[in-house]
Amino acid sequence: MTDLYDYDEAFSRYSKSLENRPMPLHSWDLFSNHFDKFKASLYDGKKLETFAKKHHWNRNWNFTNELQQENVIVITDTNLNIVFASQNIIEMTGYSSEEIIGQNPKMFQGKETSLEELQLIRKAIQLQEPFDKTIVNYKKNGERYLCHIKGFPVFNAKNELVNFVAFEKAA
């Protein structure tokens, strides 16, 4: 028992003499998870900025900030086919972004999704207006969840509709 006490005492004196203090392993695990999400949000933010420039969007968003607030970003073309989904969509839906590219957002809907809310969303899309709705969606495993969606039409410099963007969050 004395040996352990001596070891702890020696390690304590040694640690105090260091300029950088060692961190417990569990702290690094937490940091690593946060850092991986941070890197993904920066990567997706850059991809979104490039996408917006390529399609000459006349509106700017701080995509990295939206992603760091744990929003999922989904972009569709004018036919409502998904052309981009941020990497963090897998946490909310169970689908990877690669699995949903080319699909329609209807893939997340199911029997408990409100037809009234969908009709209001459809109407906003047809009128090319923003909308803010919470609907029941379904994950890949069939589990339902509430999804808060802020949707926006996106126009180019010639004021032509080019995309729709949705900022989504599990409610």
Side-chain angles (χ1 to χ4, degrees):
M1 191 71 159
T2 307
D3 291 340
L4 290 176
Y5 177 78
D6 291 342
Y7 172 81
D8 286 344
E9 193 65 30
F11 185 76
S12 177
R13 281 193 308 273
Y14 170 75
S15 296
K16 288 178 184 174
S17 70
L18 296 175
E19 203 170 298
N20 296 318
R21 299 229 175 10
M23 298 288 288
L25 183 57
H26 62 83
S27 295
W28 287 107
D29 291 344
L30 294 173
F31 174 77
S32 176
N33 288 340
H34 173 74
F35 187 67
D36 288 344
K37 287 181 182 181
F38 180 73
K39 284 191 323 186
S41 69
L42 291 177
Y43 176 75
D44 280 345
K46 290 289 184 196
K47 280 179 72 174
L48 286 161
E49 287 174 17
T50 302
F51 187 93
K53 285 180 185 174
K54 179 181 176 185
H55 295 279
H56 309 287
W57 287 7
N58 68 355
R59 182 166 183 173
N60 293 321
W61 281 284
N62 185 335
F63 294 115
T64 302
N65 186 46
E66 292 289 339
L67 291 163
Q68 288 175 358
Q69 292 179 30
E70 298 182 11
N71 284 318
V72 171
I73 300 176
V74 177
I75 299 174
T76 67
D77 60 19
T78 56
N79 296 319
L80 301 182
N81 296 310
I82 299 170
V83 295
F84 177 87
S86 56
Q87 295 176 49
N88 59 353
I89 196 162
I90 197 165
E91 293 174 34
M92 187 168 71
T93 68
Y95 291 99
S96 69
S97 56
E98 293 81 16
E99 289 178 284
I100 67 170
I101 300 297
Q103 302 291 324
N104 187 288
K106 289 180 184 180
M107 70 182 285
F108 302 111
Q109 299 165 10
K111 65 180 182 177
E112 292 183 44
T113 306
S114 168
L115 296 177
E116 292 173 26
E117 293 297 319
L118 289 177
Q119 188 64 24
L120 293 171
I121 291 171
R122 244 181 249 114
K123 186 174 182 172
I125 289 170
Q126 288 170 347
L127 296 173
Q128 301 177 0
E129 295 177 346
F131 64 89
D132 188 338
K133 296 288 178 199
T134 300
I135 63 171
V136 173
N137 270 351
Y138 290 84
K139 296 181 179 188
K140 185 176 183 178
N141 66 6
E143 181 183 337
R144 57 172 261 167
Y145 68 99
L146 286 177
C147 184
H148 182 227
I149 307 168
K150 293 180 185 177
F152 301 90
V154 183
F155 302 93
N156 63 16
K158 296 177 183 176
N159 210 29
E160 300 166 326
L161 180 69
V162 289
N163 294 105
F164 290 96
V165 64
F167 300 98
E168 303 181 9
K169 196 172 208 172

